[in-house]
Amino acid sequence: MHFLQKERATLERFIPTLDSQLQAKSLLDLERQESPALQIFRELGGPGLLIPKEYGGSGVTALELTQIQRAIATRSPSLAVAANMHHCTVAALLESIADESVAEFIRAIADNNLYLASGFAEGKTGTSILLPTMKCQRVDGGLLVSGSKKPCSLSLSMHFLTASAIVPSKEDGDLLALVIIPADSPGIERKSFWKTWVLKAAESEEIILNDVFVPEEFVYYLGQPEDLENILAKAFIWVELFLSASYLGTASALVERVIAERKGSPGERASLAIEVEGAMAALEAVAHSIMYFGNSDHQVAQSLFVRYSVQRAIERVTETSTELLGGIAFIRSEEIAYLLAASRALAFHPPSRLSMAPFLDEYLAGGSLVMP
Protein backbone atom coordinates (compact mmCIF):
# COMPACT_ATOMS: atom_id res chain seq x y z
CA MET A 1 0.00 0.00 0.00
CA HIS A 2 1.31 3.45 -0.91
CA PHE A 3 -0.72 5.18 1.80
CA LEU A 4 1.64 6.15 4.68
CA GLN A 5 4.59 4.64 2.79
CA LYS A 6 6.72 7.79 3.04
CA GLU A 7 6.19 8.24 6.77
CA ARG A 8 6.92 4.62 7.61
CA ALA A 9 10.03 4.64 5.44
CA THR A 10 11.34 7.64 7.39
CA LEU A 11 10.57 5.89 10.68
CA GLU A 12 12.37 2.74 9.52
CA ARG A 13 15.42 4.74 8.47
CA PHE A 14 15.92 6.27 11.91
CA ILE A 15 14.40 3.62 14.23
CA PRO A 16 14.65 0.27 12.44
CA THR A 17 12.13 -2.39 13.51
CA LEU A 18 10.02 -0.05 15.66
CA ASP A 19 7.09 -0.14 13.25
CA SER A 20 7.17 -3.92 12.94
CA GLN A 21 7.48 -4.39 16.71
CA LEU A 22 4.50 -2.14 17.35
CA GLN A 23 2.49 -3.72 14.56
CA ALA A 24 3.08 -7.15 16.10
CA LYS A 25 1.09 -6.08 19.18
CA SER A 26 -2.57 -5.17 19.38
CA LEU A 27 -3.49 -1.51 19.47
CA LEU A 28 -5.28 -1.84 22.80
CA ASP A 29 -2.29 -3.60 24.40
CA LEU A 30 -0.11 -0.69 23.34
CA GLU A 31 -2.60 1.82 24.73
CA ARG A 32 -3.20 0.30 28.16
CA GLN A 33 -1.45 1.60 31.29
CA GLU A 34 1.06 -1.28 31.30
CA SER A 35 1.95 -0.73 27.63
CA PRO A 36 5.41 -1.85 26.47
CA ALA A 37 5.55 0.91 23.84
CA LEU A 38 7.66 3.43 25.77
CA GLN A 39 10.20 0.77 26.72
CA ILE A 40 10.48 -0.47 23.12
CA PHE A 41 10.91 3.10 21.89
CA ARG A 42 13.63 3.74 24.44
CA GLU A 43 15.53 0.53 23.71
CA LEU A 44 15.64 1.44 20.01
CA GLY A 45 17.10 4.90 20.66
CA GLY A 46 13.96 6.98 20.24
CA PRO A 47 14.80 9.62 22.89
CA GLY A 48 17.81 10.74 20.83
CA LEU A 49 15.93 11.42 17.60
CA LEU A 50 15.97 15.22 17.77
CA ILE A 51 19.37 15.53 19.42
CA PRO A 52 22.09 16.65 16.95
CA LYS A 53 24.58 14.06 15.76
CA GLU A 54 27.47 15.92 17.39
CA TYR A 55 25.83 15.19 20.74
CA GLY A 56 25.24 11.52 19.97
CA GLY A 57 21.68 11.75 18.66
CA SER A 58 20.08 10.99 15.31
CA GLY A 59 19.88 14.63 14.25
CA VAL A 60 16.52 14.34 12.51
CA THR A 61 15.07 17.46 10.93
CA ALA A 62 11.72 19.00 11.78
CA LEU A 63 10.36 17.53 8.54
CA GLU A 64 11.60 14.03 9.32
CA LEU A 65 10.26 14.11 12.88
CA THR A 66 6.86 15.26 11.59
CA GLN A 67 6.75 12.17 9.38
CA ILE A 68 7.98 9.92 12.19
CA GLN A 69 5.33 11.18 14.62
CA ARG A 70 2.56 10.50 12.12
CA ALA A 71 3.88 6.99 11.47
CA ILE A 72 4.19 6.11 15.17
CA ALA A 73 0.68 7.38 15.93
CA THR A 74 -0.86 4.97 13.42
CA ARG A 75 0.38 2.13 15.67
CA SER A 76 0.23 3.73 19.13
CA PRO A 77 -1.30 7.18 19.65
CA SER A 78 -0.15 7.23 23.30
CA LEU A 79 3.47 6.61 22.33
CA ALA A 80 3.36 9.44 19.80
CA VAL A 81 1.89 11.88 22.35
CA ALA A 82 4.38 10.93 25.07
CA ALA A 83 7.34 11.02 22.67
CA ASN A 84 6.20 14.41 21.44
CA MET A 85 6.46 15.89 24.93
CA HIS A 86 9.99 14.51 25.28
CA HIS A 87 11.06 15.84 21.87
CA CYS A 88 9.65 19.30 22.55
CA THR A 89 11.44 19.44 25.90
CA VAL A 90 14.67 18.59 24.09
CA ALA A 91 13.86 21.33 21.58
CA ALA A 92 13.40 23.84 24.41
CA LEU A 93 16.84 22.98 25.75
CA LEU A 94 18.45 23.20 22.33
CA GLU A 95 16.75 26.47 21.42
CA SER A 96 17.04 28.45 24.63
CA ILE A 97 20.43 27.68 26.15
CA ALA A 98 23.98 27.98 24.86
CA ASP A 99 25.97 26.42 27.67
CA GLU A 100 28.58 23.67 27.70
CA SER A 101 27.02 22.01 30.74
CA VAL A 102 23.73 21.75 28.84
CA ALA A 103 25.61 20.21 25.92
CA GLU A 104 26.92 17.55 28.30
CA PHE A 105 23.41 16.94 29.60
CA ILE A 106 22.01 16.59 26.08
CA ARG A 107 24.80 14.16 25.25
CA ALA A 108 23.92 12.08 28.30
CA ILE A 109 20.27 11.97 27.19
CA ALA A 110 21.30 10.56 23.82
CA ASP A 111 23.93 8.16 25.16
CA ASN A 112 21.60 6.64 27.77
CA ASN A 113 18.26 7.08 25.98
CA LEU A 114 16.74 9.02 28.86
CA TYR A 115 13.24 10.50 28.92
CA LEU A 116 12.56 14.17 29.70
CA ALA A 117 9.15 15.16 31.02
CA SER A 118 7.89 18.72 30.76
CA GLY A 119 6.85 20.68 33.83
CA PHE A 120 6.36 23.87 31.85
CA ALA A 121 3.16 25.86 32.19
CA GLU A 122 -0.18 24.26 31.43
CA GLY A 123 -3.46 25.49 30.03
CA LYS A 124 -5.68 27.07 32.69
CA THR A 125 -8.67 29.32 32.15
CA GLY A 126 -7.70 32.95 32.59
CA THR A 127 -3.97 32.23 32.80
CA SER A 128 -1.33 32.48 30.08
CA ILE A 129 -0.01 29.10 28.97
CA LEU A 130 3.47 30.62 29.01
CA LEU A 131 3.51 31.58 32.69
CA PRO A 132 5.52 29.27 34.97
CA THR A 133 3.48 27.40 37.56
CA MET A 134 6.42 26.38 39.74
CA LYS A 135 7.41 28.44 42.79
CA CYS A 136 10.92 28.50 44.17
CA GLN A 137 13.10 30.04 46.84
CA ARG A 138 16.83 30.35 47.16
CA VAL A 139 18.68 28.21 49.69
CA ASP A 140 22.34 27.40 50.17
CA GLY A 141 23.63 25.68 47.06
CA GLY A 142 20.51 25.93 44.93
CA LEU A 143 16.73 26.25 44.93
CA LEU A 144 13.74 24.69 46.61
CA VAL A 145 11.03 24.18 43.97
CA SER A 146 7.35 23.57 44.67
CA GLY A 147 4.27 23.23 42.51
CA SER A 148 2.49 20.73 40.31
CA LYS A 149 2.00 19.86 36.67
CA LYS A 150 -1.14 18.08 35.52
CA PRO A 151 -1.33 16.35 33.21
CA CYS A 152 2.34 15.51 32.81
CA SER A 153 3.14 12.93 30.13
CA LEU A 154 5.91 10.42 30.92
CA SER A 155 5.18 10.89 34.63
CA LEU A 156 6.16 7.28 35.36
CA SER A 157 8.93 6.69 32.80
CA MET A 158 10.70 10.07 33.02
CA HIS A 159 14.32 10.26 34.10
CA PHE A 160 14.30 14.05 34.46
CA LEU A 161 11.63 16.71 34.86
CA THR A 162 12.30 20.11 33.33
CA ALA A 163 10.39 23.23 34.34
CA SER A 164 10.48 26.99 34.12
CA ALA A 165 10.41 29.09 37.28
CA ILE A 166 10.77 32.69 38.41
CA VAL A 167 13.75 32.98 40.76
CA PRO A 168 13.89 35.97 43.15
CA SER A 169 17.19 37.85 43.03
CA LYS A 170 18.20 40.87 45.14
CA GLU A 171 20.91 41.95 42.70
CA ASP A 172 19.19 41.46 39.32
CA GLY A 173 15.51 41.38 40.23
CA ASP A 174 13.42 38.35 39.38
CA LEU A 175 15.06 35.99 36.90
CA LEU A 176 13.58 33.41 34.57
CA ALA A 177 15.24 30.02 35.00
CA LEU A 178 15.07 26.52 33.61
CA VAL A 179 15.45 23.83 36.26
CA ILE A 180 16.32 20.20 35.57
CA ILE A 181 15.20 17.78 38.28
CA PRO A 182 16.12 14.07 38.51
CA ALA A 183 12.95 11.98 38.65
CA ASP A 184 14.01 10.25 41.88
CA SER A 185 14.63 13.49 43.80
CA PRO A 186 13.21 13.58 47.34
CA GLY A 187 9.94 15.51 47.44
CA ILE A 188 8.59 14.41 44.03
CA GLU A 189 5.13 12.87 44.26
CA ARG A 190 3.09 11.22 41.52
CA LYS A 191 -0.67 11.36 41.79
CA SER A 192 -3.35 9.76 39.63
CA PHE A 193 -4.98 12.32 37.36
CA TRP A 194 -5.81 10.77 33.94
CA LYS A 195 -9.10 8.92 34.46
CA THR A 196 -10.15 8.17 30.88
CA TRP A 197 -9.01 5.01 29.08
CA VAL A 198 -8.03 7.05 26.01
CA LEU A 199 -4.26 7.75 25.74
CA LYS A 200 -3.67 6.10 29.12
CA ALA A 201 -0.26 4.78 28.03
CA ALA A 202 1.09 8.33 27.66
CA GLU A 203 1.38 8.36 31.47
CA SER A 204 -0.22 11.79 31.80
CA GLU A 205 -0.64 11.89 35.56
CA GLU A 206 0.03 14.67 38.06
CA ILE A 207 3.56 15.48 39.23
CA ILE A 208 3.78 17.32 42.56
CA LEU A 209 6.97 18.98 43.81
CA ASN A 210 7.19 19.48 47.56
CA ASP A 211 10.21 21.70 48.27
CA VAL A 212 12.40 19.71 45.91
CA PHE A 213 16.04 20.74 46.17
CA VAL A 214 17.67 21.60 42.83
CA PRO A 215 21.46 22.15 42.95
CA GLU A 216 22.70 25.36 41.39
CA GLU A 217 24.43 23.40 38.59
CA PHE A 218 20.98 22.25 37.42
CA VAL A 219 19.58 25.78 37.28
CA TYR A 220 20.00 27.67 33.99
CA TYR A 221 19.16 31.36 33.94
CA LEU A 222 17.45 32.60 30.79
CA GLY A 223 17.05 36.29 31.46
CA GLN A 224 14.22 38.48 32.69
CA PRO A 225 10.65 37.15 33.05
CA GLU A 226 9.51 39.43 30.23
CA ASP A 227 11.76 37.40 27.91
CA LEU A 228 9.71 34.27 28.62
CA GLU A 229 7.39 34.59 25.63
CA ASN A 230 10.28 34.85 23.15
CA ILE A 231 12.09 31.89 24.71
CA LEU A 232 9.17 29.50 24.94
CA ALA A 233 7.71 30.54 21.59
CA LYS A 234 10.75 28.94 19.98
CA ALA A 235 9.77 25.58 21.42
CA PHE A 236 6.01 26.20 21.22
CA ILE A 237 5.98 25.88 17.44
CA TRP A 238 7.47 22.39 17.77
CA VAL A 239 4.69 21.38 20.16
CA GLU A 240 1.99 22.46 17.71
CA LEU A 241 3.69 20.80 14.75
CA PHE A 242 4.44 17.41 16.27
CA LEU A 243 1.17 17.14 18.22
CA SER A 244 -0.78 17.85 15.05
CA ALA A 245 1.22 15.22 13.16
CA SER A 246 0.59 12.72 15.95
CA TYR A 247 -3.17 13.15 15.97
CA LEU A 248 -3.25 13.20 12.18
CA GLY A 249 -1.49 9.84 12.32
CA THR A 250 -4.17 8.51 14.65
CA ALA A 251 -6.87 9.63 12.22
CA SER A 252 -4.83 8.15 9.35
CA ALA A 253 -5.03 4.74 11.03
CA LEU A 254 -8.80 4.84 10.49
CA VAL A 255 -8.40 5.98 6.89
CA GLU A 256 -5.92 3.15 6.34
CA ARG A 257 -8.54 0.62 7.45
CA VAL A 258 -11.07 2.06 5.02
CA ILE A 259 -8.57 1.79 2.15
CA ALA A 260 -7.32 -1.69 3.10
CA GLU A 261 -10.85 -3.08 3.48
CA ARG A 262 -12.07 -1.26 0.32
CA LYS A 263 -14.97 0.28 2.19
CA GLY A 264 -17.11 2.87 0.44
CA SER A 265 -16.69 3.99 -3.16
CA PRO A 266 -13.43 4.95 -4.91
CA GLY A 267 -14.53 8.57 -4.70
CA GLU A 268 -15.14 8.36 -0.95
CA ARG A 269 -11.79 6.69 -0.29
CA ALA A 270 -9.96 9.22 -2.46
CA SER A 271 -11.71 12.08 -0.63
CA LEU A 272 -10.47 10.78 2.71
CA ALA A 273 -6.91 10.56 1.39
CA ILE A 274 -7.17 14.06 -0.08
CA GLU A 275 -8.09 15.41 3.36
CA VAL A 276 -5.32 13.73 5.34
CA GLU A 277 -2.61 14.18 2.69
CA GLY A 278 -3.51 17.84 2.31
CA ALA A 279 -3.27 18.26 6.08
CA MET A 280 0.10 16.49 6.13
CA ALA A 281 1.41 18.72 3.32
CA ALA A 282 0.48 21.76 5.42
CA LEU A 283 2.39 20.35 8.42
CA GLU A 284 5.39 19.65 6.20
CA ALA A 285 5.26 23.26 5.02
CA VAL A 286 5.45 24.42 8.65
CA ALA A 287 8.41 22.08 9.21
CA HIS A 288 10.18 23.52 6.16
CA SER A 289 9.47 27.02 7.47
CA ILE A 290 11.17 26.19 10.79
CA MET A 291 14.18 24.71 9.02
CA TYR A 292 14.75 27.65 6.71
CA PHE A 293 13.28 30.71 8.44
CA GLY A 294 13.49 30.03 12.18
CA ASN A 295 10.83 30.61 14.81
CA SER A 296 9.50 34.14 14.39
CA ASP A 297 5.99 35.31 15.27
CA HIS A 298 5.03 34.53 11.69
CA GLN A 299 6.07 30.89 12.03
CA VAL A 300 4.29 30.55 15.40
CA ALA A 301 1.10 32.02 13.94
CA GLN A 302 1.38 29.80 10.89
CA SER A 303 1.78 26.72 13.08
CA LEU A 304 -1.43 27.64 14.89
CA PHE A 305 -3.37 28.22 11.67
CA VAL A 306 -2.24 24.85 10.37
CA ARG A 307 -2.89 23.10 13.71
CA TYR A 308 -6.52 24.26 13.74
CA SER A 309 -6.92 23.36 10.06
CA VAL A 310 -5.59 19.86 10.78
CA GLN A 311 -7.92 19.65 13.77
CA ARG A 312 -10.96 20.26 11.56
CA ALA A 313 -9.70 17.84 8.91
CA ILE A 314 -9.39 15.15 11.59
CA GLU A 315 -13.00 15.74 12.63
CA ARG A 316 -14.22 15.22 9.07
CA VAL A 317 -12.14 12.18 8.13
CA THR A 318 -12.72 10.28 11.37
CA GLU A 319 -16.47 10.78 11.14
CA THR A 320 -16.56 9.60 7.52
CA SER A 321 -14.10 6.74 8.06
CA THR A 322 -16.09 5.36 10.98
CA GLU A 323 -19.30 5.60 8.98
CA LEU A 324 -17.76 3.78 6.01
CA LEU A 325 -16.31 1.03 8.21
CA GLY A 326 -19.85 0.41 9.39
CA GLY A 327 -21.82 -0.11 12.56
CA ILE A 328 -21.01 -3.81 12.88
CA ALA A 329 -17.28 -3.08 12.75
CA PHE A 330 -17.74 -0.35 15.36
CA ILE A 331 -19.66 -2.75 17.61
CA ARG A 332 -17.25 -5.65 17.22
CA SER A 333 -13.94 -3.76 17.36
CA GLU A 334 -12.96 -1.57 20.29
CA GLU A 335 -10.06 -0.32 18.19
CA ILE A 336 -12.28 1.73 15.88
CA ALA A 337 -13.96 3.48 18.80
CA TYR A 338 -10.58 3.99 20.40
CA LEU A 339 -9.00 5.60 17.32
CA LEU A 340 -12.05 7.81 16.88
CA ALA A 341 -11.82 9.07 20.46
CA ALA A 342 -8.04 9.41 20.57
CA SER A 343 -7.78 11.34 17.30
CA ARG A 344 -10.18 14.01 18.52
CA ALA A 345 -8.12 14.84 21.62
CA LEU A 346 -6.06 17.39 19.68
CA ALA A 347 -8.88 19.86 20.36
CA PHE A 348 -8.16 19.64 24.10
CA HIS A 349 -4.51 20.73 23.90
CA PRO A 350 -3.93 24.39 24.74
CA PRO A 351 -4.29 26.89 23.30
CA SER A 352 -7.79 26.05 22.12
CA ARG A 353 -9.06 27.39 18.82
CA LEU A 354 -11.72 29.47 20.57
CA SER A 355 -9.26 31.04 23.02
CA MET A 356 -6.80 31.96 20.26
CA ALA A 357 -9.31 33.27 17.72
CA PRO A 358 -9.38 36.94 18.86
CA PHE A 359 -5.58 37.07 19.15
CA LEU A 360 -5.06 35.54 15.70
CA ASP A 361 -7.62 38.00 14.33
CA GLU A 362 -5.66 40.89 15.86
CA TYR A 363 -2.42 39.48 14.43
CA LEU A 364 -3.93 39.22 10.94
CA ALA A 365 -4.92 42.90 11.15
CA GLY A 366 -1.31 43.90 11.88
CA GLY A 367 -0.96 43.54 15.63
CA SER A 368 1.59 41.52 17.60
CA LEU A 369 0.97 37.86 18.26
CA VAL A 370 -0.19 37.40 21.85
CA MET A 371 -0.40 34.02 23.59
CA PRO A 372 -3.30 34.01 26.10
Side-chain angles (χ1 to χ4, degrees), residues 68 147 150 183 222 248 252 274 278 297 305 342 350:
I68 288 170
K150 57 181 179 182
L222 307 178
L248 183 64
S252 298
I274 288 168
D297 275 3
F305 289 132

Side-chain angles (χ1 to χ4, degrees), residues 84-95:
N84 171 78
M85 297 310 178
H86 165 84
H87 296 317
C88 292
T89 305
V90 170
L93 288 173
L94 294 174
E95 289 281 2

Side-chain angles (χ1 to χ4, degrees), residues 92 95-96 120-121 128-132 164 166 176 222-237 295-298 300-301 304 356 359 363 367-372:
E95 289 281 2
S96 61
F120 290 98
S128 171
I129 63 170
L130 298 181
L131 288 177
S164 58
I166 303 298
L176 174 66
L222 307 178
Q224 302 300 317
E226 55 266 28
D227 297 329
L228 175 65
E229 185 165 339
N230 291 332
I231 292 167
L232 291 189
K234 293 179 179 180
F236 180 79
I237 188 173
N295 296 327
S296 68
D297 275 3
H298 174 73
V300 174
L304 287 166
M356 275 303 302
F359 300 99
Y363 171 77
S368 299
L369 181 64
V370 176
M371 301 300 294

Side-chain angles (χ1 to χ4, degrees), residues 254-302:
L254 278 173
V255 176
E256 183 177 34
R257 291 175 184 234
V258 173
I259 295 172
E261 297 175 22
R262 312 309 287 163
K263 296 291 186 178
S265 68
E268 288 170 320
R269 293 191 295 272
S271 292
L272 289 175
I274 288 168
E275 286 266 31
V276 292
E277 293 308 305
M280 185 62 183
L283 291 173
E284 290 178 329
V286 173
H288 275 291
S289 182
I290 295 173
M291 293 163 61
Y292 294 107
F293 301 108
N295 296 327
S296 68
D297 275 3
H298 174 73
Q299 274 70 47
V300 174
Q302 199 66 24

Side-chain angles (χ1 to χ4, degrees), residues 44-63:
L44 295 176
L49 276 174
L50 197 58
I51 295 175
K53 290 182 178 179
E54 58 265 35
Y55 298 137
S58 300
V60 302
T61 65
L63 176 62

Side-chain angles (χ1 to χ4, degrees), residues 27-28 38 46 55 66 106 176 211 217 250 265 284 305 312:
L27 172 67
L28 296 182
L38 281 167
Y55 298 137
T66 301
I106 290 294
L176 174 66
D211 287 335
E217 57 265 30
T250 305
S265 68
E284 290 178 329
F305 289 132
R312 296 305 294 269

